[in-house]
């Protein structure tokens, strides 16, 4: 059996972060859903990662090697729950949220499970997380102006969806089912676990029939029995005004499809606000540049500036004598995180004034300008 460190291509002194990075790189390379993927190699990579990413399993492996997980002493290769033709689903949103594992062989680290079985009286059914669809993460760019008006649009992404041929069942429903040969119709698989208290027997949900006690007579040829395939999914998104950059929107049951009709995962959409040309977004501060005429400056007029939200903001030029400094309008910036139920705070609007000189001046205008300059110098 190949050394786990060698499988991931890391040294025995590798950090948790190094192990995680090595796993992600190799899993992406050999994932069965990808062209050129290797299912056997992928299982080996996942087996190695499940041990080396767990401090207690890794410590046991460093002491005893593969013997630490043999004969019920831990989770070896047989501890993986494949659950059909494509147990690990696909990659969603550029991460590994769709990869699920059930390290069902047992180990020394889960003290809670040991006490539950030893003192709780009775077997425990394994948590059905491996059959549930994976959560999907999607990054979504939204024009800054839409943060004030709200958005309604469809968002599409590639993920694992229910098989259209069998409608997610994983088999030919018309052909029927029969008693599961693996669990003999009980829906559970009993396994022994070596603990500090001796050998304890545990019951886990059967990974062949998902606890139903029945297995299909005819597996779906399209999805190979998993009930799901890779495809494109479109979700309708309706967001009210007040979204902010960095906000994460949670949509339940809109992620990966589960195996053979099991519940779908959730969808998480992270919002990034994108300002239009000429506008800069700095956190919750909206910064823009505004040209003002020399005539307006000299007359000290009040001017109106259209903000990103479409509303007019009044700027008093007379009260703003130092034009090298920006005008700050409090509470007219972008939305930030909530400060209470149904409430949001806004940053500031910062306006950099740019005094525009006239392109052409007649002789008379220049004469008047000289006279004005003399008076301004005298008045200080």
């Amino acid at each position: 059996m190949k050394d786990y460190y060698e499988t991931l291509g890391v040294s025995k002194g590798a950090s948790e972060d190094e192990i995680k990075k090595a796993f992600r790189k190799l899993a992406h390379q050999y994932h069965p859903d990808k062209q050129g993927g290797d299912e056997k190699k992928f299982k080996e990579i996942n087996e190695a990662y499940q041990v080396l990413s767990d401090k207690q399993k890794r410590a046991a492996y460093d002491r005893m090697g593969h013997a630490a997980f043999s004969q019920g002493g831990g989770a070896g290769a047989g501890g993986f729950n494949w659950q059909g033709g494509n147990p690990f689903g696909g990659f969603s949103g550029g991460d590994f949220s769709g990869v699920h594992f059930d390290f069902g062989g047992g180990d020394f680290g889960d003290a809670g499970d040991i006490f539950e079985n030893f003192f709780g009286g009775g077997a425990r059914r394994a948590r059905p997380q491996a059959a549930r669809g994976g959560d999907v993460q999607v990054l979504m760019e939204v024009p800054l102006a839409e943060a004030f008006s709200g958005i309604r649009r469809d968002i599409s992404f590639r993920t694992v969806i229910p098989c259209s041929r069998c409608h997610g069942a994983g088999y030919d429903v018309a052909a029927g089912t029969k008693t599961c040969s693996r669990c003999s119709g009980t829906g559970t698989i009993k396994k022994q676990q070596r603990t500090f208290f001796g050998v304890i027997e545990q019951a886990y949900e059967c990974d062949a029939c998902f606890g139903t006690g029945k297995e299909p007579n005819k597996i779906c040829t399209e999805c190979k029995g998993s009930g799901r395939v890779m495809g494109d999914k479109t979700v309708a998104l309706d967001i009210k005004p007040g979204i902010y950059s960095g906000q994460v929107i949670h949509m339940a049951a809109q992620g990966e499809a589960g195996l053979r009709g099991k519940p779908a995962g959730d969808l998480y959409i992270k919002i990034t606000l994108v300002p239009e040309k000429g506008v800069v977004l700095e956190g919750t501060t909206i910064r823009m540049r505004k040209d003002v005429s020399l005539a307006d400056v000299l007359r000290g007029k009040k001017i109106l500036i259209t903000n990103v939200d479409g509303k007019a903001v009044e700027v008093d030029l007379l009260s703003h004598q130092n034009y090298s400094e920006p005008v700050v309008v409090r509470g007219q910036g972008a939305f930030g995180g909530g400060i209470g139920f149904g409430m949001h705070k806004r940053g500031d609007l910062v306006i950099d004034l740019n005094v525009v000189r006239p392109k052409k001046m007649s002789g008379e205008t220049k004469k008047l300008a000289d006279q004005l300059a003399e008076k301004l110098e005298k008045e200080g």
Side-chain angles (χ1 to χ4, degrees):
M1 189 174 293
K2 194 172 183 180
D3 181 80
Y4 286 149
Y5 290 102
E6 186 180 343
T7 297
L8 294 183
V10 297
S11 66
K12 288 189 175 182
S15 65
E16 292 181 11
D17 188 54
E18 289 174 331
I19 290 173
K20 183 182 293 185
K21 288 181 179 178
F23 163 71
R24 289 186 173 182
K25 179 180 179 181
L26 293 172
H28 188 273
Q29 180 180 352
Y30 292 104
H31 195 282
D33 285 344
K34 296 178 67 67
Q35 186 175 2
D38 188 325
E39 186 174 297
K40 182 179 179 182
K41 181 70 174 177
F42 188 68
K43 287 182 65 177
E44 293 176 355
I45 294 166
N46 284 303
E47 179 182 342
Y49 178 69
Q50 288 299 302
V51 172
L52 299 185
S53 63
D54 185 288
K55 291 182 179 180
Q56 291 170 317
K57 293 189 183 83
R58 183 178 180 181
Y61 178 73
D62 288 343
R63 289 194 306 270
M64 304 171 60
H66 292 285
F69 310 111
S70 62
Q71 301 299 322
F80 286 98
N81 188 354
W82 271 110
Q83 303 194 40
N86 182 17
F88 293 104
F91 290 8
S92 301
D95 65 6
F96 290 78
S97 59
V99 182
H100 294 278
F101 310 97
D102 179 4
F103 224 68
D107 60 85
F108 295 109
D110 199 343
D113 288 344
I114 294 173
F115 282 100
E116 179 182 346
N117 285 277
F118 191 74
F119 297 108
R124 173 179 67 90
R125 290 176 67 86
R127 293 180 291 272
Q129 293 174 339
R132 175 186 178 274
D135 294 338
V136 177
Q137 299 176 14
V138 177
L139 300 178
M140 180 178 179
E141 292 187 342
V142 175
L144 179 57
E146 293 188 6
F148 303 96
S149 61
I151 60 173
R152 287 190 182 96
R153 69 172 62 162
D154 291 339
I155 180 170
S156 298
F157 52 94
R158 190 158 183 81
T159 186
V160 180
I161 60 176
C163 175
S164 59
R165 175 170 293 183
C166 65
H167 304 289
Y171 63 95
D172 185 345
V173 178
T177 60
K178 59 186 176 182
T179 300
C180 179
S181 58
R182 182 166 184 180
C183 66
S184 300
T186 64
T188 59
I189 299 293
K190 293 183 178 180
K191 296 181 181 180
Q192 290 185 335
Q193 179 180 12
R194 185 177 300 164
T195 73
F196 296 110
F197 307 103
V199 177
I200 295 177
E201 188 175 81
Q202 292 179 289
Y204 292 84
E205 183 179 88
C206 178
D207 56 3
C209 66
F210 300 114
T212 64
K214 300 289 184 180
E215 62 177 299
N217 288 317
K218 186 178 180 181
I219 293 293
C220 175
T221 57
E222 181 70 21
C223 64
K224 305 297 188 295
S226 68
R228 59 187 192 177
V229 295
M230 287 298 295
D232 295 318
K233 183 170 185 174
T234 300
V235 176
L237 198 62
D238 186 1
I239 305 178
K240 303 300 181 183
I243 60 173
Y244 54 92
S245 203
Q247 182 175 356
V248 177
I249 299 169
H250 175 217
M251 301 184 72
Q254 292 296 332
E256 288 187 350
L259 285 167
R260 292 189 192 173
K262 287 289 185 176
D266 296 340
L267 173 63
Y268 294 88
I269 305 170
K270 186 172 182 179
I271 302 296
T272 298
L273 298 181
V274 181
E276 54 267 37
K277 187 177 180 181
V279 177
V280 177
L281 183 63
E282 301 171 343
T284 58
T285 299
I286 297 176
R287 194 175 196 113
M288 62 174 62
R289 181 185 176 95
K290 175 63 177 179
D291 292 339
V292 294
S293 69
L294 181 59
D296 287 342
V297 170
L298 293 175
R299 286 193 296 244
K301 285 184 60 177
K302 289 184 178 180
I303 62 174
L304 295 179
I305 296 176
T306 303
N307 197 358
V308 177
D309 61 3
K311 296 179 180 179
V313 177
E314 188 176 74
V315 176
D316 188 351
L317 296 180
L318 184 63
S319 63
H320 194 79
Q321 297 295 330
N322 190 356
Y323 298 102
S324 63
E325 301 255 340
V327 178
V328 179
V329 184
R330 303 296 180 188
Q332 292 298 315
F335 288 103
I339 56 175
F341 182 75
M343 300 173 64
H344 297 277
K345 59 182 180 181
R346 288 183 66 173
D348 300 330
L349 172 64
V350 177
I351 306 169
D352 295 306
L353 297 175
N354 178 46
V355 180
V356 180
R357 298 174 58 186
K359 294 181 179 179
K360 293 181 180 182
M361 293 178 64
S362 65
E364 184 181 356
T365 302
K366 289 181 180 179
K367 184 177 179 180
L368 291 173
D370 290 337
Q371 293 174 356
L372 178 61
E374 290 177 5
K375 288 186 177 183
L376 291 175
E377 287 177 0
K378 289 179 181 180
E379 295 176 1

